[in-house]
Amino acid sequence: MATQTIAETAQKLVNPEALRYAAKQSERCLVIPVRLRRAIKKYLKEQEEPYMKSKVLRLSQSFNQIKDVNLQLASTTAKKIVEDPLKSLEQSKRWKITSSYGDIGLMYRDDETIAYVASRMPAVYSACYRVLKEVRRRLPGFSPSKVLDFGAGTGSAFWALQEVWPKSLEKVNLIEPSQSMQRAGRSLVQGLKNLPLIHSYDSIQALSKSIGKSDRGHDLVIASYVLGEIPSIKDRITIVRQLWDLTSDLLVLVEPGTPHGSNIIAQMRSHILWMEERKYRKASRKNNEVCKDLITQKSGAFVVAPCPHDGICPLVKSGKYCHFVQRLERTSSQRAYKRSKGDPLRGFEDEKFSYVVFRRGPRPREPWPLEGVEFETLKEQHAKRNPEDLEIDYEDWMKLQQADDTLHEVADAADDLETGDTSCEVVNAVSYDSDAVETDGDDDDSDNDYERREERASADLGGGWGRIVFMPVRRGRQVTMNVCRSTKKDASEGSYDRIVVTKSKNPTLHHQAKRSIWGDLWPF
């Protein structure tokens, strides 16, 4: 009876519509919101700064210098710090730092800030939006009201928060040591309506002094594109521990999709999971068996995304690094100030990013989506067809052909992310306009319908949903995918496997695989 119930539940999950909405996590080509494009354009116009292209170039060179310094740092103590940072009294003292991260990272003055708004802010926004949108898909009932944005910069993550949860945000605390960045952030949001209550601070210490213990808990804490600017792994872990203490639910970390950025995310992931596991073991030893259920509910941590498990990252020893790509339509300021090497600047760019989302508490135990489900082969499906089903009206057939052609065009565009073939997407500079006029009215009904559809077909947080890493390869009637997946029901261990889905053996999953792209979920 139990087996039959599991099979019936799974069968409902794997119908084509549910698979499409539950597994689809990626955004193919993101268009920056008109409100943000207008704000950037207005801000740059007010600055009236000459030599903008050279300033953008200098900012890019500064980022490269920071990357070089970080790569030259000694890493002999990294493993010891991540695994057991409180091993001795001497080591524990270093967590009590009083300096803000800006003292050891890149300090943004006015020139760097203006160049950042013109060239980098849209791309950082797109990565943050992609991550937060995925959080909303995985947690449809989650609506943060109090948020902390660490390393807020000019407000890229804040703008993404406003787009993803526009109705639930009530209070946002921003931490940014650069006064120039703070001024730019305030200027960009000037004139916007229905903003939450915003407070800015120079450091975590300044935030802690101004709020009481009862106000320390934030529904969501995000740190985007900031940990990589901190050369010391000791200070990175210090800050992440402090941020984890300031969240009552979710912690989101986002870094550039480089080997260095991915390594930072992997280190922080290992440390948070190790730390919470250590706390749970100590609490279990101190309490009797009666209190174990209560301990389990209040302690622990698990990864919401992108990892489908909480074990050691299987990519660490594979020679690859975990990252994802978000394509975005370039704004007018990016097209005006970014340099190109002789060729016309493309109308889009691909922002690579690495990230991790933690949630407090134990990972939910859910039945795996395909558990107990038997799929028909293509031969079996053909055997069940009736002669009447093969008859089709000519007009209906033409409509189906047109719909299929459209799907193939979208799939081909997704392939460009991996292959780099952009010949079909060169944008005419005259007809392309990312600063189009925005309509005054918002289609609330369509937004509500979309949210209800997402909630109805959301993927659960159990170990049954793998993550597609890198672009699937389609050859004829088979699709090859690299998938990070859980190997245990409790999601305590994972593996990185190559999966081949063929149309002859499983036409249902093959149909889904053809339309899946890098970053999507895959059911097991």
Side-chain angles (χ1 to χ4, degrees):
M1 184 66 181
T3 305
Q4 184 180 359
T5 304
I6 291 175
E8 289 175 355
T9 304
Q11 192 65 52
K12 292 178 183 178
L13 285 172
V14 296
N15 68 72
E17 183 182 5
L19 270 179
R20 184 165 59 253
Y21 288 115
K24 187 61 63 180
Q25 299 291 299
S26 52
E27 298 280 344
R28 291 185 183 272
C29 187
L30 182 67
V31 178
I32 304 300
V34 175
R35 291 187 294 273
L36 179 54
R37 297 200 298 267
R38 285 178 174 174
I40 291 174
K41 200 170 184 178
K42 180 182 177 183
Y43 171 80
L44 295 175
K45 187 176 181 180
E46 289 174 351
Q47 304 307 312
E48 296 182 355
E49 289 287 337
Y51 312 113
M52 181 64 77
K53 284 190 176 182
S54 61
K55 291 178 180 179
V56 170
L57 179 61
R58 285 201 301 272
L59 178 65
S60 178
Q61 291 171 345
S62 298
F63 286 143
N64 290 331
Q65 289 173 1
I66 291 175
K67 186 190 303 183
D68 293 338
V69 169
N70 287 335
L71 293 176
Q72 292 170 8
L73 289 174
S75 58
T76 54
T77 60
K79 187 174 185 293
K80 182 170 62 176
I81 293 171
V82 171
E83 290 181 351
D84 194 354
L86 302 179
K87 191 173 182 180
S88 67
L89 179 63
E90 182 181 356
Q91 287 178 321
S92 65
K93 287 181 180 178
R94 68 167 168 254
W95 301 116
K96 300 176 182 179
I97 61 171
T98 57
S99 61
S100 65
Y101 77 89
D103 293 339
I104 53 176
L106 172 63
M107 289 298 292
Y108 288 89
R109 296 177 293 273
D110 289 340
D111 284 353
E112 287 85 1
T113 298
I114 296 169
Y116 184 90
V117 172
S119 62
R120 285 296 297 153
M121 187 176 178
V124 175
Y125 163 84
S126 69
C128 293
Y129 176 82
R130 163 82 174 272
V131 172
L132 295 176
K133 187 69 177 295
E134 184 164 341
V135 171
R136 195 180 82 172
R137 280 182 176 272
R138 301 302 303 276
L139 302 170
F142 176 73
S143 298
S145 59
K146 187 178 179 182
V147 175
L148 170 62
D149 181 6
F150 176 76
T154 56
S156 303
F158 172 77
W159 281 85
L161 287 161
Q162 281 286 97
E163 287 295 317
V164 178
W165 292 289
K167 298 177 182 178
S168 69
L169 291 180
E170 296 178 3
K171 184 177 181 180
V172 178
N173 289 326
L174 307 177
I175 297 180
E176 174 53 54
S178 169
Q179 294 300 314
S180 176
M181 283 280 197
Q182 286 192 27
R183 288 193 298 271
R186 288 193 293 268
S187 177
L188 287 166
V189 299
Q190 193 172 12
L192 292 182
K193 299 179 180 178
N194 302 320
L195 288 175
L197 185 63
I198 303 173
H199 291 293
S200 296
Y201 302 92
D202 296 334
S203 64
I204 294 178
Q205 289 74 23
L207 170 69
S208 300
K209 289 179 181 178
S210 63
I211 61 175
K213 289 185 178 180
S214 59
D215 296 328
R216 286 177 61 84
H218 297 77
D219 300 321
L220 184 148
V221 175
I222 182 170
S224 59
Y225 287 73
V226 60
L227 297 177
E229 296 180 7
I230 304 170
S232 170
I233 185 175
K234 301 176 186 178
D235 294 324
R236 283 189 211 128
I237 294 179
T238 298
I239 289 166
V240 170
R241 287 168 65 96
Q242 292 171 335
L243 295 178
W244 180 245
D245 291 338
L246 287 169
T247 181
S248 59
D249 201 345
L250 293 184
L251 172 63
V252 180
L253 305 177
V254 188
E255 287 297 311
T258 61
H260 180 64
S262 177
N263 185 48
I264 291 174
I265 293 296
Q267 288 174 346
M268 300 305 109
R269 176 185 181 275
S270 297
H271 181 72
I272 291 293
L273 294 176
W274 167 85
M275 183 177 66
E276 287 301 313
E277 177 64 23
R278 179 172 174 267
K279 286 181 180 178
Y280 172 74
R281 289 198 305 267
K282 290 181 67 176
S284 298
R285 287 195 296 267
K286 290 180 180 179
N287 295 272
N288 56 31
E289 296 293 331
V290 179
C291 300
K292 274 192 174 181
D293 291 338
L294 185 61
I295 295 170
T296 303
Q297 293 173 5
K298 292 188 175 182
S299 63
F302 67 95
V303 179
V304 174
C307 316
H309 61 87
D310 303 320
I312 298 173
C313 177
L315 284 174
V316 171
K317 296 182 180 179
S318 67
K320 303 178 184 293
Y321 63 98
C322 183
H323 68 291
F324 302 91
V325 178
Q326 179 57 59
R327 176 163 290 183
L328 67 141
E329 197 176 84
R330 279 186 168 133
T331 64
S332 59
S333 62
Q334 287 178 301
R335 300 196 308 275
Y337 302 127
K338 279 205 167 189
R339 288 179 178 268
S340 59
K341 298 178 181 179
D343 299 327
L345 193 67
R346 298 183 302 178
F348 65 91
E349 66 180 69
D350 295 328
E351 177 65 15
K352 295 181 179 181
F353 63 96
S354 298
Y355 75 103
V356 64
V357 181
F358 300 100
R359 191 175 205 185
R360 289 192 176 275
R363 182 182 289 273
R365 298 292 183 92
E366 303 283 353
W368 287 24
L370 305 187
E371 188 173 6
V373 178
E374 294 183 2
F375 292 97
E376 292 180 335
T377 64
L378 187 62
K379 187 176 181 180
E380 289 172 340
Q381 287 187 357
H382 286 174
K384 289 184 177 181
R385 290 185 304 183
N386 296 320
E388 293 82 4
D389 296 335
L390 301 178
E391 297 178 4
I392 186 169
D393 184 81
Y394 179 74
E395 293 182 359
D396 293 338
W397 179 81
M398 289 296 295
K399 291 178 181 179
L400 288 173
Q401 286 292 105
Q402 292 174 359
D404 191 57
D405 291 341
T406 303
L407 285 173
H408 280 297
E409 289 176 5
V410 174
D412 291 340
D415 284 338
D416 293 341
L417 285 174
E418 180 69 8
T419 62
D421 180 11
T422 58
S423 57
C424 63
E425 297 197 36
V426 176
V427 181
N428 189 307
V430 177
S431 60
Y432 177 87
D433 186 9
S434 66
D435 303 297
V437 178
E438 182 186 29
T439 56
D440 294 330
D442 293 325
D443 193 358
D444 293 334
D445 292 335
S446 63
D447 289 342
N448 291 335
D449 289 341
Y450 182 70
E451 290 179 13
R452 285 194 293 268
R453 188 171 61 205
E454 278 188 338
E455 184 171 358
R456 185 171 63 248
S458 61
D460 60 59
L461 296 176
W465 290 92
R467 178 75 58 180
I468 300 175
V469 186
F470 311 117
M471 202 65 189
V473 178
R474 292 180 282 273
R475 292 191 181 93
R477 294 192 171 189
Q478 73 175 28
V479 181
T480 304
M481 299 179 294
N482 296 303
V483 180
C484 181
R485 57 184 292 262
S486 174
T487 55
K488 290 190 175 182
K489 293 294 183 180
D490 61 356
S492 60
E493 294 182 7
S495 64
Y496 175 68
D497 303 317
R498 176 162 293 185
I499 297 173
V500 179
V501 183
T502 61
K503 186 174 183 179
S504 59
K505 290 184 178 180
N506 200 326
T508 303
L509 289 183
H510 179 264
H511 179 80
Q512 175 64 25
K514 284 197 306 181
R515 287 153 179 78
S516 294
I517 63 174
W518 188 352
D520 286 348
L521 294 172
W522 184 254
F524 283 95

